[in-house]
Amino acid sequence: MKKTYAVRGLLEWQVALEVTGAILRICFSGGSMGSNGVIPAKYITDNEAIQHIIEQSAHFKSGRIILLSIETPAEKKEENPSGNQENKGTATMNSRNHGKNKD
């Protein structure tokens, strides 16, 4: 299932979450401010491992990261007819020992 997470009040935000000796960097993006209001920065994923990491983080438990929506496979939307790309944000995993000698 696809979940959309958001961070209110920010246009973009990169958070580093520690996961068993590694760092998962998640980039929330696509936020905007205008005359119609504020749209929060978002991150969309269907990766259950990343969903679990986000939902167990202090940022999620404190309400800094919120769960904006859940889309189950039966609710999948049709292809975007306008051709615009959906903003999914990005996530990368780095070892905490990156660049260090293993002596």
Side-chain angles (χ1 to χ4, degrees):
M1 96 181 61
K2 186 186 291 187
K3 292 185 179 182
T4 302
Y5 299 93
V7 181
R8 292 186 180 128
L10 295 175
L11 305 180
E12 293 184 358
W13 186 49
Q14 184 177 32
V15 62
L17 303 175
E18 187 171 349
V19 185
T20 60
I23 299 292
L24 174 66
R25 295 189 188 283
I26 298 176
C27 299
F28 290 79
S29 60
S32 67
M33 290 185 199
S35 60
N36 293 333
V38 178
I39 296 173
K42 298 175 191 164
Y43 175 74
I44 301 169
T45 185
D46 59 359
N47 183 310
E48 292 181 11
I50 293 176
Q51 292 171 359
H52 179 76
I53 292 165
I54 291 171
E55 292 170 10
Q56 295 304 310
S57 74
H59 295 291
F60 186 83
K61 291 177 180 178
S62 71
R64 180 72 173 145
I65 298 173
I66 62 167
L67 180 59
L68 196 61
S69 67
I70 300 173
E71 183 181 318
T72 60
E75 296 173 344
K76 280 192 176 178
K77 299 175 185 173
E78 292 181 23
E79 288 283 327
N80 188 342
S82 67
N84 293 337
Q85 293 289 328
E86 184 177 332
N87 185 353
K88 294 184 178 183
T90 60
T92 58
M93 181 80 82
N94 296 325
S95 169
R96 287 188 63 92
N97 295 327
H98 182 69
K100 296 181 181 177
N101 292 335
K102 294 184 177 182
D103 293 6

